[in-house]
């Protein structure tokens, strides 16, 4: 393989005098030891208009390097993958330009798998629709998809390599593969990593440093990386780790001639799932282990330096599949030093994380310091009545869409759907005895209607199995509205986490035909097409669109939060932008972050798709701080 010819790529001299290489114990920038003080910022979780601000805050934190993922599915604008999008909030080249302007290095993580609490770990949903495709191993169908994606992506990165005057110092291969596969026992897994290295070398050449990230221990590194110098094996861990007995020992065992130490994901906080307490960590412990790393000459990457937001449907989920399912909340604040809206975060001990990290780094390093930008402005615009309520239920709205197919049960992915809502309809279940409806393999939440009346509301993670029963009326029209949450982004269940339902029985008789399928992805275009939002208040139950308008005076646009604590569960759209999912009953965050770029001078329109509660006097509140229960 091509990769085997690049064992000495670390010491290649680069043509313009800029180079990033390795020695036995150091990273070298232009031949001089260089300590990487890195922080993760995911451009896909931050509007492009705020990239410069967040990078400036990271620079003021005294970081000299940025690490980011490239989510494959973020850049595909249709299900088939025939159209890609690298404009606006997806303009990765502009992001790299901004990093370079700040004289910061960049650690690029192009996947193809990224995890990152992102839907399906960054994979396109269509991969689940191909029965011949197995993700994250040497499978022909999968590698063909990866190869085609890298043909598009990697040429965009090449001009930004450090040898070409850009900021990219290192490129990661895959991500935490030792938590999924095992190169020591499965030849196809080893071949997979080697094939990825070959693909990257084909497009980026032999000079860029390649690395892997796995759990900070010898077991994870052995399963997920390759011994020797074909790739630099690095690890991740959190506060309180014994560096010598875990990560350092693992790196030393895996790397040969070149072994600069680094923690590629040092956890400044943690992720949060619906129904959990908000995740916070202690600042003092975080700082203590950072000092240990500095003393050990171990570079680090703060995961996260700034977390951002899972806008729209992009939040992923953890768990092992089945009912062991933990969907991530919309906020990806992560209790990181820079909060979701750009302010300082505080640890569980009440200590300012930004100030603590900045003080530590300025004490240990004598680089020129950069002043922190002024605190982001946050405005409370007050209450907005949602006076325009749809007189048509969401079920009736869904039935206005064309039938995609009729037959037996299909998943979202089999129908060409990336995310959103899928409606299964049966015109008549016929005459039946007890009319017991049995639904199997629910992914993820189902609303079951008999003749338009809600008879069951089931959420996958609340059940011990993915099956449920309900009682329908004889001869009823049966509708099953399925809401998909994030696809699994971690663990062995990823490859089978399709969305929808598996099948249905009525009085133990399998329904195998006559099922109509409709779906909506709730894009901005779909939202514009909602003609059912009328000027009259609804008197029905839940599951309706609610809308209202409010005015912003010139010069008064700022960041804000929408408090949804009076609502049940659903989505909020502001001027057509999907702010994400709320679920007030489960929490823990009862607000949705609104970046200032979503707002405009003059009239702003907010639309709520409420799926649970009927509210007689619905209104939202714009507040200055997150509401956490």
């Amino acid at each position: 393989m091509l990769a085997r010819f690049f064992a000495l790529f670390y010491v290649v001299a680069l043509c313009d005098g800029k180079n990033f290489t390795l020695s036995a114990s150091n990273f070298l920038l232009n031949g001089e030891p260089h300590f990487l003080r890195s922080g993760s910022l995911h451009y896909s979780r931050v509007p492009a208009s705020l990239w410069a601000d967040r990078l400036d805050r990271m620079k003021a934190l005294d970081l000299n390097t940025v690490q980011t993922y490239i989510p494959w599915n973020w850049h595909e604008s249709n299900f088939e993958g025939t159209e890609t999008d690298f404009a606006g909030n997806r303009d990765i080249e502009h992001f790299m330009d901004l990093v370079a302007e700040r004289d910061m290095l960049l650690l690029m993580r192009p996947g193809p798998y990224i995890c990152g609490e992102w839907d399906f770990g960054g994979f396109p949903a269509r991969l689940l629709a191909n029965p011949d495709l197995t993700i994250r191993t040497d499978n022909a169908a999968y590698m063909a998809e990866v190869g085609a994606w890298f043909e598009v992506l990697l040429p965009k990165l090449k001009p930004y390599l450090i040898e070409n005057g850009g900021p990219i110092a290192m490129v990661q291969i895959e991500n935490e593969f030792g938590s999924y596969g095992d190169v020591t026992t499965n030849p196809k897994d080893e071949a997979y990593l080697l094939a990825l290295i070959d693909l990257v070398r084909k497009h980026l050449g032999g000079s860029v440093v390649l690395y892997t990230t796995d759990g900070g221990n010898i077991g994870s590194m052995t399963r997920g990386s390759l011994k020797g110098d074909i790739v630099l094996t690095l690890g991740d861990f959190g506060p309180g780790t014994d560096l010598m007995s875990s990560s350092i020992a693992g790196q030393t065992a895996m790397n040969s001639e070149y072994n600069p130490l680094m923690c590629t994901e040092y956890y400044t906080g943690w992720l949060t799932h619906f129904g959990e307490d908000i995740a916070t960590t202690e600042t003092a412990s975080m700082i203590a282990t950072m000092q240990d790393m500095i003393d050990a000459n171990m570079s680090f990457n703060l995961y996260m330096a700034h977390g951002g937001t899972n806008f729209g449907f992009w939040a992923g989920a953890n768990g092992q599949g089945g009912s062991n399912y933990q969907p991530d909340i919309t906020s990806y604040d992560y209790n990181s030093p820079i909060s979701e809206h750009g302010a300082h975060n505080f640890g569980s001990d009440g200590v300012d994380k930004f100030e603590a990290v900045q003080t530590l780094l300025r004490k240990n390093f004598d680089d020129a310091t950069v002043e922190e930008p002024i605190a982001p402005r946050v405005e409370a615009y007050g209450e907005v009545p949602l006076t325009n309520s749809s007189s048509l239920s969401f079920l009736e709205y869904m039935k206005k869409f064309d039938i995609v197919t009729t037959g037996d049960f299909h998943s979202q992915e089999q129908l060409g759907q990336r995310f959103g809502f899928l409606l299964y309809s049966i015109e008549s279940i016929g005459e039946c005895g007890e009319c017991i409806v049995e639904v199997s393999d629910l992914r993820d939440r189902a609303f079951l209607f008999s003749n338009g009346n809600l008879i069951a509301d089931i959420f996958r993670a609340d059940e011990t199995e993915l099956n449920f029963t309900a009682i329908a009326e004889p001869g009823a029209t049966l509708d099953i509205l399925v809401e998909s949450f994030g696809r699994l982004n971690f663990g062995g269940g990823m490859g089978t986490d399709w969305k929808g339902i598996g099948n249905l029985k009525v009085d133990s008789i399998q329904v195998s035909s006559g099922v109509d399928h409709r779906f909506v992805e709730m894009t901005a275009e779909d939202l514009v097409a909602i003609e059912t939002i009328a000027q009259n208040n609804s008197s029905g139950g839940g599951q309706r669109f609610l809308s209202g308008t409010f005015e912003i005076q010139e010069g008064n646009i700022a960041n804000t939060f929408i408090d949804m604590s009076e609502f049940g569960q659903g989505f909020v759209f502001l001027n057509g932008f999907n702010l994400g999912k709320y679920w007030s009953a489960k929490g823990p965050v009862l607000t949705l972050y609104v970046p200032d770029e979503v707002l405009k001078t003059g009239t702003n329109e907010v639309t709520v798709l409420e799926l649970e509660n009927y509210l007689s006097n619905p209104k939202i509140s714009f507040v200055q701080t997150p509401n956490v229960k």
Side-chain angles (χ1 to χ4, degrees):
M1 286 188 178
L2 181 64
R4 290 183 170 84
F5 294 97
F6 291 104
L8 298 179
F9 71 90
Y10 305 109
V11 293
V12 174
L14 303 178
C15 57
D16 68 349
K18 288 188 68 176
N19 60 77
F20 187 86
T21 57
L22 310 179
S23 72
S25 57
N26 287 294
F27 295 105
L28 303 177
L29 180 60
N30 296 329
E32 297 294 326
H34 189 72
F35 193 102
L36 294 174
R37 308 190 303 272
S38 179
S40 285
L41 165 66
H42 299 158
Y43 67 96
S44 56
R45 286 186 161 112
V46 180
S49 63
L50 296 176
W51 288 347
D53 175 84
R54 300 309 191 253
L55 289 170
D56 286 342
R57 296 181 191 282
M58 290 173 63
K59 185 82 172 179
L61 197 56
D62 219 24
L63 301 177
N64 59 19
T65 305
V66 179
Q67 185 191 78
T68 196
Y69 284 129
I70 300 179
W72 181 356
N73 53 12
W74 178 241
H75 290 284
E76 291 195 349
S77 48
N78 64 353
F79 179 87
E80 297 78 14
T82 56
E83 298 176 7
T84 55
D85 185 355
F86 289 91
N89 291 335
R90 292 166 169 80
D91 190 348
I92 182 63
E93 291 164 302
H94 176 51
F95 180 79
M96 292 188 289
D97 286 335
L98 293 174
V99 174
E101 287 172 10
R102 283 148 184 82
D103 196 28
M104 301 175 81
L105 296 180
L106 183 58
L107 308 182
M108 190 61 81
R109 311 175 86 180
Y113 164 73
I114 66 168
C115 184
E117 291 73 61
W118 188 264
D119 182 64
F120 201 17
F123 287 135
R126 71 168 181 279
L127 302 192
L128 289 168
N130 185 347
D132 298 322
L133 189 149
T134 303
I135 61 171
R136 302 185 72 187
T137 195
D138 187 24
N139 167 268
Y142 170 63
M143 291 308 300
E145 290 275 11
V146 173
W149 165 235
F150 275 8
E151 286 277 353
V152 173
L153 173 66
L154 296 184
K156 294 181 181 296
L157 304 186
K158 188 169 183 178
Y160 290 89
L161 298 178
I162 194 168
E163 65 187 87
N164 297 323
I168 298 177
M170 299 201 297
V171 174
Q172 183 176 298
I173 300 297
E174 241 269 352
N175 185 62
E176 295 179 334
F177 189 63
S179 297
Y180 185 87
D182 191 340
V183 301
T184 66
T185 61
N186 187 340
K188 283 184 171 291
D189 288 353
E190 181 184 22
Y192 169 51
L193 288 193
L194 288 168
L196 289 180
I197 293 171
D198 285 347
L199 278 173
V200 174
R201 290 276 174 236
K202 170 187 172 183
H203 292 287
L204 300 185
S207 299
V208 63
V209 177
L210 304 183
Y211 71 102
T212 58
T213 287
D214 280 290
N217 59 78
I218 184 61
S220 294
M221 293 179 187
T222 300
R223 292 189 299 274
S225 191
L226 301 168
K227 286 189 174 182
D229 291 330
I230 191 172
V231 64
L232 178 65
T233 299
L234 302 174
D236 51 29
F237 52 80
T241 298
D242 183 329
L243 306 183
M244 187 59 69
S245 64
S246 54
S247 192
I248 293 178
Q251 277 195 228
T252 302
M254 291 296 294
N255 299 318
S256 298
E257 184 176 352
Y258 307 101
N259 188 34
L261 301 176
M262 183 172 187
C263 176
T264 47
E265 288 187 13
Y266 178 66
Y267 303 115
T268 60
W270 200 244
L271 56 103
T272 302
H273 304 118
F274 281 109
E276 296 179 344
D277 292 336
I278 193 71
T280 58
T281 57
E282 186 184 69
T283 302
S285 177
M286 179 187 76
I287 293 298
T289 305
M290 287 181 68
Q291 184 64 64
D292 290 344
M293 286 190 286
I294 293 170
D295 293 341
N297 193 31
M298 175 179 276
S299 292
F300 55 78
N301 173 74
L302 303 181
Y303 191 101
M304 300 289 297
H306 169 63
T309 311
N310 298 314
F311 294 113
F313 296 97
W314 293 109
N318 290 295
Q320 292 301 314
S323 59
N324 182 1
Y325 176 75
Q326 302 166 300
D328 297 308
I329 65 173
T330 297
S331 173
Y332 200 67
D333 177 85
Y334 216 82
N335 197 222
S336 56
I338 304 169
S339 76
E340 183 176 19
H341 64 289
H344 291 191
N345 257 330
F346 292 77
S348 57
D349 53 3
V351 178
D352 187 313
K353 286 192 171 182
F354 187 100
E355 290 185 357
V357 171
Q358 184 187 68
T359 299
L360 174 77
L361 297 184
R362 291 185 176 183
K363 179 183 74 173
N364 284 276
F365 301 94
D366 58 1
D367 308 36
T369 57
V370 175
E371 189 170 340
E372 181 185 3
I374 62 172
R377 184 179 163 210
V378 185
E379 184 69 43
Y381 295 107
E383 290 186 352
V384 176
L386 303 182
T387 55
N388 299 336
S389 302
S390 170
S391 60
L392 200 64
S393 72
F394 188 55
L395 173 62
E396 292 172 308
Y397 164 71
M398 286 288 296
K399 287 198 168 184
K400 285 185 170 291
F401 285 83
D402 293 335
I403 296 171
V404 179
T405 189
T406 300
D408 60 1
F409 289 89
H410 296 277
S411 68
Q412 283 188 349
E413 294 78 11
Q414 289 171 326
L415 297 172
Q417 182 181 7
R418 294 172 296 176
F419 36 66
F421 297 86
L422 171 59
L423 178 65
Y424 302 95
S425 298
I426 299 169
E427 185 173 342
S428 174
I429 60 173
E431 295 302 314
C432 47
E434 297 180 278
C435 293
I436 299 175
V437 178
E438 301 174 70
V439 176
S440 64
D441 283 341
L442 167 63
R443 324 282 181 84
D444 297 307
R445 192 178 187 191
F447 302 92
L448 186 62
F449 299 88
S450 173
N451 287 334
N453 299 310
L454 183 66
I455 59 174
D457 173 359
I458 308 294
F459 177 51
R460 166 183 183 177
D462 290 340
E463 308 301 312
T464 56
E465 299 180 354
L466 298 186
N467 310 321
F468 68 92
T469 61
I471 306 298
E473 302 170 53
T477 295
L478 195 68
D479 296 292
I480 306 171
L481 176 63
V482 177
E483 177 189 3
S484 65
F485 285 58
R487 295 175 181 85
L488 290 174
N489 55 252
F490 185 83
M494 286 182 57
T496 56
D497 194 35
W498 48 265
K499 300 302 180 182
I501 63 172
N503 55 48
L504 177 144
K505 294 180 180 179
V506 178
D507 283 355
S508 300
I509 299 175
Q510 183 82 37
V511 176
S512 56
S513 62
V515 182
D516 295 336
H517 299 70
R518 300 174 176 88
F519 69 78
V520 61
E521 294 189 344
M522 293 306 298
T523 64
E525 292 76 18
D526 291 325
L527 201 64
V528 171
I530 299 173
E531 300 175 354
T532 58
I533 298 179
Q535 296 298 319
N536 61 296
N537 290 327
S538 170
S539 59
Q543 297 194 319
R544 297 178 185 276
F545 290 103
L546 309 167
S547 69
T549 60
F550 62 101
E551 301 292 320
I552 297 181
Q553 300 301 314
E554 187 172 356
N556 197 34
I557 291 178
N559 297 279
T560 189
F561 294 86
I562 298 182
D563 192 319
M564 302 301 296
S565 55
E566 294 186 9
F567 290 75
Q569 187 253 313
F571 292 83
V572 179
F573 304 84
L574 187 48
N575 294 326
F577 182 82
N578 189 340
L579 294 172
K581 185 192 300 287
Y582 65 89
W583 200 343
S584 300
K586 288 187 177 292
V589 180
L590 306 180
T591 44
L592 292 173
Y593 169 55
V594 182
D596 55 8
E597 78 152 24
V598 176
L599 300 168
K600 60 184 179 180
T601 300
T603 302
N604 293 261
E605 181 172 23
V606 59
T607 301
V608 175
L609 171 56
E610 168 60 35
L611 297 171
E612 283 189 350
N613 299 340
Y614 170 68
L615 302 169
S616 59
N617 185 29
K619 59 181 180 298
I620 60 170
S621 297
F622 287 93
V623 297
Q624 285 186 308
T625 57
N627 183 1
V628 179
K629 70 175 184 179

